[in-house]
Every structure is written in structure tokens, then in C-alpha cells.
Amino acid sequence: VVGDPALLERLRAALDATLEPGEFVLNKLAERLAAWERTNDTPLSADPHLKEGAGGLRCHHAANWLRHAMGETPRRETESYDLVLAARNALQAVTGKDVDHLTAARRGEVVRLLGGADLAAAATEVHDEFIRQRSRLLSTRYRLGRGVEALNGEVRISSKSDLADAAVGVAHATRLGLEIPDIPVGTRGTEDGGPALYALACGEATVRNLDRAGLLEALLPELTACRTLFPQEPTHAYSVFEHTLRTLRHADSPPEGFLEELKLGVRDRESLALAILLHDV
């Protein structure tokens, strides 16, 4: 690719200025998992997808995107990456088509063109590099969002963070498996309900972590006021607060049948989550 270097630098600066690392990392991880489900989820497959599958070219690219999100420089292509790329080029040469799926029938021919190189070993090294970078998300320091950062597997929320930004950071951290401190954090108020509603709609685990961080008290004080409120009817086994959060759990994993079909028909999950959170308030 050739062009104006100054234009490229402007693009990089714009990317860094607008990138939200937490959301970006989650989308990148989801993208890889979805690709592995469509193709192959191990580099030791007899008919791998050399671009999207585990051990394919996208593993190297995704590993570098994770590095970028953590504020690090990308890693140069390795010999293993070059071998996988050479295998893809050889496959397209022998088939005469723009294909990336190396079938068992073509494998021997492609490997011979590569001089008998161990393609599976190279793909394993490419795949392992992505897995290492994914693991580092739980052991290094990087920004999750505005006023929120990950630090050695835990979340740190700045006191200058807006309430909505802090809530979104906790939602991202929960999905990544980061620890949420149970020390209430002070944040500034906010009028931006959209991001806060997104966080509240991320499920039971996120709402419990918002509560641990003291953010739920500010977002839905009507709900936290019901923490120890027990209904008078004997059919209720929990306080209103606990019952509400367990209802969120059931909504995330409804039993097969009518409720599952109903959930699939609901497009506005945020309104559904808010209805659940307020249904007994």
C-alpha cells in the first residue's frame, strides 16, 4: 500500500483519539470466537481455514489489535505467520481461486509446495500468540474507557469519571472477567442515560458488580432501597432486591419453550432489562 504518510498519521491519530479499548477488545474477542465457530477452533485441524480459523492469519492480526488496545506496539510478522501466509498463497495458486479453506484433499499438495514444512506447528504458534495476548488482558494495565482502567486484573475507576462512563466500564470489565473492588467509588452525576442503560442491560453479573462498586445506588436508588425488603406473601423466597436480580438471571437463560421464543422476539433488550429491574419497585 502506497500513499501520503501524513494522511496515514492523521488516520492513526483519529483512531487513537476515538478508540474505546474496552468495547473494542470485547468486539475483537467475540469476532474471533464467532470465526472459530464457523471454521476451526484449533490449529490442529485437518482442514483449517488459513485466514479466519484458529491459527490463521487473523489470529496474528487480532493479537496486535489487543496490543494496540493495551497501548503497546504491534509485533512484527514471525516465521510461523509467514509460513501460514505462504500456505494460503500456495492454496490459491493450485486452486486458481480466492479460497482460504485448506481441505484435506489439498493439504498434501500445498505442503509439498512449501517444501514439507510443518504447517500445523506454525499455525499453533500463531494461535498461541493470540491466546497469550488474550490472557494478558487480565494481568496488565490499560484503559477500558473514559475514567476507567484495568490494572493487574482489577478495575480502577477515577473519581472524576461520569456515572455513565463508570457503569459502562464495569460492564466491560465484567464481560472480560476482571475483578470489581467492593469499595464504593464516587463519581460525578450524568444526564446521559443511554450508556447507563446499556450497562444495566448487560445481565445479572454486571448489575451485581455495579452494586459492589456503589454505582447501582446512584443509578437505581429505588431498587437498592429494596435490598432487605421482604414481601408479605409466603410465595416469595427472597427480598425484592435479590428476587429482581435473579429474574435477570432467568431472562438471560430462559427455559426452552414459550419464554425462550418470547425472548428471541424481543429486540429492545435494554427496555426489557429496565422493566425487570423496576417490576417490583
Side-chain angles (χ1 to χ4, degrees):
V1 179
V2 295
D4 183 359
L7 181 60
L8 177 60
E9 289 307 314
R10 286 171 55 195
L11 174 63
R12 286 174 172 166
L15 173 64
D16 291 338
T18 57
L19 183 68
E20 291 296 332
E23 181 180 6
F24 178 80
V25 164
L26 286 169
N27 288 336
K28 189 57 61 178
L29 296 178
E31 175 188 282
R32 287 294 85 225
L33 290 177
W36 295 348
E37 289 179 359
R38 295 193 310 268
T39 56
N40 53 286
D41 61 0
T42 172
L44 302 179
S45 172
D47 54 348
H49 196 282
L50 299 176
K51 181 180 178 181
E52 297 287 351
L57 302 176
R58 285 289 184 257
C59 281
H60 170 77
H61 302 154
N64 271 342
W65 277 118
L66 295 185
R67 288 189 180 91
H68 185 84
M70 290 185 282
E72 301 172 359
T73 57
R75 183 184 183 188
R76 296 182 63 85
E77 291 79 3
T78 63
E79 291 184 3
S80 293
Y81 173 89
D82 288 341
L83 181 58
V84 175
L85 178 59
R88 182 193 184 208
N89 292 338
L91 173 63
Q92 297 186 1
V94 299
T95 60
K97 299 178 181 179
D98 183 14
V99 294
D100 300 305
H101 180 206
L102 178 59
T103 63
R106 292 287 189 180
R107 190 180 188 91
E109 186 176 4
V110 168
V111 169
R112 282 194 295 273
L113 288 175
L114 298 177
D118 192 340
L119 179 58
T124 298
E125 183 175 316
V126 173
H127 178 68
D128 288 348
E129 176 59 19
F130 170 76
I131 298 300
R132 280 193 293 272
Q133 295 310 311
R134 185 180 67 179
S135 299
R136 292 186 62 238
L137 293 170
L138 301 178
S139 61
T140 191
R141 182 174 187 170
Y142 57 97
R143 189 173 69 89
L144 279 173
R146 291 187 292 270
V148 184
E149 67 175 11
L151 177 61
N152 299 328
E154 294 186 356
V155 172
R156 295 290 185 268
I157 301 174
S158 169
S159 60
K160 298 180 180 179
S161 175
D162 284 342
L163 177 58
D165 291 336
V168 170
V170 168
H172 291 161
T174 302
R175 292 178 60 190
L176 285 169
L178 297 168
E179 290 292 327
I180 311 297
D182 57 2
I183 302 175
V185 296
T187 59
R188 296 183 298 172
T190 180
E191 296 180 358
D192 190 353
L197 185 55
Y198 160 82
L200 290 170
C202 283
E204 178 196 9
T206 294
V207 174
R208 290 192 185 277
N209 278 336
L210 290 171
D211 188 40
R212 285 171 57 85
L215 300 175
L216 189 61
E217 177 87 29
L219 290 170
L220 283 180
E222 302 89 349
L223 179 59
T224 55
C226 299
R227 188 183 307 278
T228 59
L229 177 62
F230 289 88
Q232 298 302 312
E233 297 84 1
T235 56
H236 290 80
Y238 306 101
S239 71
V240 171
F241 179 86
E242 182 64 22
H243 160 75
T244 300
L245 268 58
R246 289 179 181 242
T247 306
L248 277 181
R249 181 190 309 174
H250 288 298
D252 287 337
S253 302
E256 293 183 3
F258 168 73
L259 288 179
E260 183 179 31
E261 295 177 6
L262 185 63
K263 179 184 176 182
L264 293 175
V266 175
R267 295 185 178 181
D268 189 351
R269 285 185 51 81
E270 293 181 350
S271 293
L272 174 61
L274 190 60
I276 291 173
L277 289 167
L278 298 177
H279 83 273
D280 270 345
V281 165

